[in-house]
Amino acid sequence: MMDGAAKDDRTALAPEAATAFCQRLYENADFYVDYDGPDPARVDRFVMTFPDMTHPTGPDAPGWGKGFLRKRGAAVISLTYAKTNWYQSDGFFAAVEAARDFVAGRAPISAYGASMGGYGAILAGKRLGSDRVIAVSPQFSIEQNVTPFDHRYRAAAAEIGPFIHDVSDQISDEISYFVMHDPTHDLDQRHVDLFPKVAKWHSILQPGSGHGVLEMLIQAGGTDALFRLIMGTGDHLALRQALRAGRRNSPRYIRRIGEFCVALPRRKNLAQVMIGEAERAGMRRLASRWQYGLAERDANVGVARPLEEMLLHIGLPGLGGGGLQAHLASNRAAYGDQGVEYCGDLALGGGAPPDHRWLSEALLSGDMGRLRALRECEVHAPRMMLSDEDLFLEMPYIRRVMFKQFRALFSDVPMRVLVCTQDKRAWQRQFYKHALEMVGRPRSRGVAEHWGHGDSFADFFGRPVIAKLCDWDQMFEEALRCFGAEVVEEIALQPQSNAVDEVLGRLGLRPVTAGRETQGKAGLSDVDAEILRQANAQSAAMRGIMRILLGLPPVAEGPVQIKPRILRKIRSMADELDWSSLQYRENPPLIYDRVAFEGRKDALRALVASICAQSDAT
């Protein structure tokens, strides 16, 4: 989540901001309240901000949105927390009342937050004595018995437990509520629908923004209008007009609306409009992908045939699924002539290469439009094939109603689920390394919430949700129930076998030579996996830079071939790398010794030194 639109720096620092009063107003075991602004006696309006769940924690954490507001001279009261708890502790209202007592009626006060912070702003408004609340994409609750449709925050909900505050009781007829969200984002809209609507409730709709409303707002040039709304010098209609006027400049808006239009055959004219918008915005690669996808779909227009069977490949992850998808997509026509039409993202207008996770992401997010587009595809072969290896991981996190709707769409078609497996211990090693690489990356995946940043192999597979994935018999039974399949076929791969050959053989297809060389990238070595594990456990900075370094070739004669942006990033962070914290530790069944570990660490240090010298020379 953007830091309250703080990344927009077009507005110069206001004169009052240079002579700020900074003081801690209150703290308890859970929350800290700080003031940063001009002399409180001279303030026309205060703004209290509430952080989202990804904001830094602790007593020294910066205030969420403070940079955005202070650059414009606002008087900011920042609430930060010791630990993310969705404001569910007795200390929350005590912290809010401390801010109210500091203001002491000298000026009106606004409450402002996004996502979890939007919930916090609405929850606090009444006790804060606020006259206006600005909430961006707020959740009504994350309790699974209250919002069973939303699994995004299931891990946090399990850790926090039952909510002790009822946000409905804190909504007041005296407060103006300005709630910004994307009405096409199913989950966010369902949360907003649950809030009691008072007379002064105003919805500011931002179609195409998804949950990242502030990102689109910044790109659309709406930050000044947002600031005026927060400060009470502008209204929600002016903000809505600013967003409408500027949304054509938002890459996020263009991408999301364009993907929606391109995915549906009946939206072809609008898809062409969005292709033009993408080209105008300089998003030429995206425009080319969409144009290619439309052309490919048009080229395959012929006599549609009744669908006789659905083939669904769901994993296991790390066993050549990416190579299989790329091969099927690049040879779609040839395999279509043999009776199997591959309907990856390419067939839905997304272009090439195909999106490997589109189906699991659509099911996770509740994107029925994408699924209906799949059903509406004209298929010119008796069998349709889908492939998404993440489905095996995500089945426990997809709402049952989504599986029910998926089954309903294909209720007239027999379904066969394909799962590639190998020796379980060998797969666990590969999956563990894959999880280490995925830590900290933005994902919609439910299972990723449970990947420990620094788990050893034993601790990782000791987690109940991960251990469940290793009970293949149980997972196969769940696949039968979820997809309504007639059979789950296990394709056991031998050490030297190839997923492309094995799957094609099982389907009775003659292999096509073109594209057979397409395979996934090589995985981490055992020693690199251990180094990355320790880096993951330290900090986000160490994790990010180590991922970059492990993907670079070793030091050689001449400059390192690296993008200038990455070169600058490594140089800026080189002095912060704590190499002494990387210590040899055993992590069976990964195989390496002390000599190999220390040698690899020294090689990485030498690589950083070479990059720094290269950067300094340029």
Side-chain angles (χ1 to χ4, degrees), residues 63 68 142 160 177 272 290 292 317 364-365 389 424 458 481 484 523:
F68 159 65
I142 62 169
I160 294 167
Y177 295 91
Q272 292 292 353
W290 289 344
Y292 178 85
L364 279 167
S365 64
E389 62 182 16
K424 186 171 292 187
R481 291 193 302 271

Side-chain angles (χ1 to χ4, degrees), residues 2 17 98 136 179 184 215 282 366 415 606 612:
M2 293 283 181
V136 183
V179 180
T184 68
E215 179 183 351
M415 185 169 299
C612 290

Side-chain angles (χ1 to χ4, degrees), residues 138-177:
Q139 294 83 31
F140 178 78
S141 173
I142 62 169
E143 295 176 281
Q144 291 299 290
N145 63 326
V146 178
T147 55
F149 55 83
D150 193 348
H151 290 186
R152 292 175 295 177
Y153 313 106
R154 175 185 278 185
E159 183 176 350
I160 294 167
F163 275 23
I164 65 173
H165 303 312
D166 186 345
V167 69
S168 297
D169 293 340
Q170 301 301 321
I171 293 179
S172 169
D173 292 329
E174 305 301 319
I175 299 175
S176 295
Y177 295 91

Side-chain angles (χ1 to χ4, degrees), residues 204-420:
I204 305 174
L205 307 182
Q206 278 189 250
S209 62
H211 194 63
V213 168
L214 289 179
E215 179 183 351
M216 176 179 157
L217 181 141
I218 292 168
Q219 295 169 351
T223 49
D224 288 337
L226 172 63
F227 178 73
R228 289 191 290 271
L229 178 67
I230 294 171
M231 299 303 294
T233 58
D235 61 20
H236 63 289
L237 296 178
L239 175 58
R240 188 179 297 167
Q241 291 168 359
L243 293 173
R244 188 174 182 84
R247 64 188 181 186
R248 294 178 64 232
N249 300 317
S250 167
R252 184 178 184 90
Y253 173 82
I254 293 171
R255 180 181 296 276
R256 289 182 62 87
I257 297 298
E259 291 285 0
F260 173 77
C261 294
V262 170
L264 296 175
R266 65 178 181 272
R267 302 282 187 179
K268 183 177 179 180
N269 291 338
L270 285 177
Q272 292 292 353
V273 172
M274 296 311 298
I275 288 171
E277 289 296 311
E279 290 175 342
R280 181 192 58 79
M283 304 165 69
R284 294 182 180 84
R285 292 183 63 185
L286 182 63
S288 297
R289 284 182 56 226
W290 289 344
Q291 193 68 61
Y292 178 85
L294 291 178
E296 180 74 9
R297 189 166 63 201
D298 291 343
N300 283 282
V301 172
V303 179
R305 299 182 55 175
L307 194 58
E308 298 176 6
E309 185 180 37
M310 167 74 80
L311 305 168
L312 181 59
H313 167 247
I314 66 170
L316 296 172
L319 295 185
L324 172 65
Q325 291 165 328
H327 177 73
L328 292 173
S330 61
N331 298 283
R332 184 164 166 252
Y335 289 120
D337 291 341
Q338 296 185 47
V340 174
E341 183 152 350
Y342 178 64
C343 292
D345 194 50
L346 180 68
L348 301 181
D355 178 355
H356 297 340
R357 299 197 306 269
W358 77 266
L359 182 54
S360 59
E361 290 180 347
L363 290 169
L364 279 167
S365 64
D367 188 352
M368 283 303 300
R370 199 69 178 276
L371 297 176
R372 292 191 188 99
L374 171 67
R375 190 63 177 103
E376 293 173 6
C377 277
E378 292 186 348
V379 179
H380 309 103
R383 294 189 289 174
M384 173 193 288
M385 182 167 182
L386 302 174
S387 176
D388 186 337
E389 62 182 16
D390 282 2
L391 280 171
F392 187 85
L393 303 180
E394 301 300 356
M395 279 192 298
Y397 300 94
I398 296 171
R399 289 177 289 147
R400 302 299 98 177
V401 67
M402 290 306 301
F403 282 123
K404 182 178 180 180
Q405 293 181 11
F406 180 82
R407 292 194 301 268
L409 286 173
F410 294 94
S411 60
D412 59 333
V413 183
M415 185 169 299
R416 181 160 39 133
V417 173
L418 308 174
V419 185
C420 294

